[in-house]
Each structure stands twice: as structure tokens, then as C-alpha cells.
Amino acid sequence: MIKGLGQHLILELWGGDSDKLDSLELVEKALVDAVEACGFHLKDLRIYPFSPQGITGVAVLSESHIAIHTWPEYRYAAIDVFTCGESAEPRRAIPILQSYFQAEHIQVMEVVRGIFPLYD
Amino acid sequence: MIKGLGQHLILELWGGDSDKLDSLELVEKALVDAVEACGFHLKDLRIYPFSPQGITGVAVLSESHIAIHTWPEYRYAAIDVFTCGESAEPRRAIPILQSYFQAEHIQVMEVVRGIFPLYD
């Protein structure tokens, strides 16, 4: 059987609310809610403000990570949900993140990481 | 002109040295060296050990982030180099990371993030 170790969602959020995309509190809440909804386990959560605007948020998980970079001036956010393990459900993060940032639309690409033959 | 805000290298490292992939010190050094070689600016660097093995390392940059997840038991690492800005050269990280972990081979996918029309 060919297995993949990780599931990596690459999300592009467009037409979001600029104020929400520049809110440290909201980025943190969005990460916490997404982690919980997916069944992930949070190891660490860090939020970094940028000047004059923009935020990076990183949730380090037992199951890998979620990273958010926001560009409020373009009403855009780039989000990666990288997870491993069988039980977590990373796609549940998608509507939560879209809703928090009131994104008009969202593009999703899913990449399986660490694919190689493991003959059970 | 159609611009992209971010450049995202998705790296798959195979056949690495298990001990190196499980060394906190080495993951940290690899991140610091990769950041420097690429001309990135480090905002924060965090290394998280996993039990019984495996490491997550996150370098938060002025230009976005580098994330490393190692699976020493499979001699594998999944690495993301996500950067924005014109001046940084993220591909310079590739040989450095390969060398640190003595990976036999490496797969690279490059994704442009945040593509949309900006008419200058």
C-alpha cells in the first residue's frame, strides 16, 4: 500500500475584510477554532504583527502546523494547514477560516506529503 | 501585470540521516543557515521535539516562514519555504537543507501564492 505521511491544504483567501485580516485577536481566535474543529492538538500558538499592516500566525500542532499570512491591503490571506495522522480532519478548517476573515472566495489545493511505498 | 505575492517551495527530502533528522541542534542550525543564505530576516525561531522521535522547526521571517517536520524513522523531512518580497532568494535554501540532513534526494515543487491582477 502506498501511504502518505501528511496532508497539506494550501488555501488562498480572497476578498476578506481588511480590518479582520489585521486583527491580532481575530487571527488568534481563528487559529484556535480551526485547531479545535479539526481535532488537532495545539503545542504552541504565536502571532506576529507586521508594520504597517499584516499578520503572521503559526499554530504548531502535534499533527504538524497551521500558518497564516495576511495582506490586509489586498484583502488576501495565504494559509497552510499541514497535518499528519489518520484521525484529524483538516478540511474542517476551511469554512471556519473563510468565515472569520469574511473571505468572498477561497481556493484550495491539497497536496499529499511524504508519499512512498510502505508494504504492510 | 500579473503579480504573485509569495513564492512557496514545497520540499520533500528523502533518504536523510536519521540521527541528523532527530537532532534539535542540527534542525536549528539548518534553519539559521538557510535563512541567512536566502537573505531572509529572522523574526523568531522555534524548535519542538516530538516523542519518541521527530522534530518540528519553525523560522518566522519578515518574508513569511520556513517550516520543517522530520520523520527520522522514515529518513524523511517535509519542508516549506514560504517567502514574499523581491529580493530574497528562497531556492538557495535547497542545497543547504539537503546537505544538513544528508538527504539522498530531494523533490521540489514551487507554488506562487497570491496571484492576482495588479495593473501598475
Side-chain angles (χ1 to χ4, degrees):
Chain A
M1 183 185 169
I2 305 294
K3 285 193 179 178
L5 292 177
Q7 191 175 353
H8 181 177
L9 302 184
I10 295 175
L11 308 181
E12 303 269 279
L13 273 74
W14 300 102
D17 181 290
S18 294
D19 291 336
K20 293 183 190 300
L21 289 165
D22 208 27
S23 162
L24 298 170
E25 188 188 350
L26 200 135
V27 170
E28 182 171 341
K29 276 189 186 171
L31 280 169
V32 168
D33 268 18
V35 166
E36 193 179 333
C38 295
F40 296 146
H41 300 85
L42 197 59
K43 279 175 80 85
D44 199 3
L45 179 63
R46 302 269 166 184
I47 309 290
Y48 307 86
F50 282 80
S51 177
Q53 57 194 339
I55 294 170
T56 287
V58 180
V60 177
L61 311 170
S62 300
E63 298 85 4
S64 293
H65 75 269
I66 303 178
I68 295 182
H69 302 289
T70 75
W71 278 261
E73 67 273 39
Y74 297 125
R75 302 176 60 201
Y76 165 77
I79 304 182
D80 291 83
V81 181
F82 188 138
T83 179
C84 58
E86 305 291 321
S87 60
E89 300 190 47
R91 290 183 190 172
R92 288 192 183 170
I94 300 171
I96 290 167
L97 295 164
Q98 182 164 18
S99 169
Y100 262 102
F101 299 114
Q102 297 188 351
E104 287 169 2
H105 51 282
I106 190 164
Q107 296 172 328
V108 183
M109 189 163 75
E110 194 167 301
V111 180
V112 181
R113 306 289 294 266
I115 297 182
F116 59 103
L118 285 176
Y119 302 103
D120 294 345
Chain B
M1 183 185 169
I2 306 293
K3 285 193 178 176
L5 292 177
Q7 191 176 355
H8 181 177
L9 302 184
I10 297 176
L11 308 180
E12 303 270 280
L13 272 74
W14 300 102
D17 182 288
S18 294
D19 291 337
K20 294 184 189 299
L21 289 165
D22 208 27
S23 162
L24 298 172
E25 188 188 350
L26 201 135
V27 170
E28 182 171 339
K29 276 188 186 171
L31 279 169
V32 168
D33 268 17
V35 166
E36 193 179 332
C38 294
F40 296 147
H41 300 86
L42 197 59
K43 279 175 80 87
D44 199 4
L45 180 63
R46 303 268 165 184
I47 309 290
Y48 306 86
F50 283 79
S51 178
Q53 57 194 338
I55 293 171
T56 287
V58 180
V60 176
L61 311 170
S62 300
E63 299 83 7
S64 294
H65 76 269
I66 304 178
I68 296 182
H69 301 289
T70 74
W71 278 260
E73 67 273 39
Y74 296 125
R75 301 176 60 201
Y76 165 77
I79 303 181
D80 290 83
V81 181
F82 188 138
T83 179
C84 57
E86 304 291 321
S87 60
E89 300 190 47
R91 289 183 189 173
R92 289 191 182 170
I94 300 170
I96 291 167
L97 295 164
Q98 181 163 20
S99 169
Y100 263 102
F101 300 113
Q102 297 188 352
E104 286 169 3
H105 51 281
I106 190 164
Q107 296 172 328
V108 183
M109 189 163 74
E110 194 167 302
V111 179
V112 181
R113 305 290 294 266
I115 296 182
F116 59 104
L118 285 175
Y119 301 103
D120 294 343

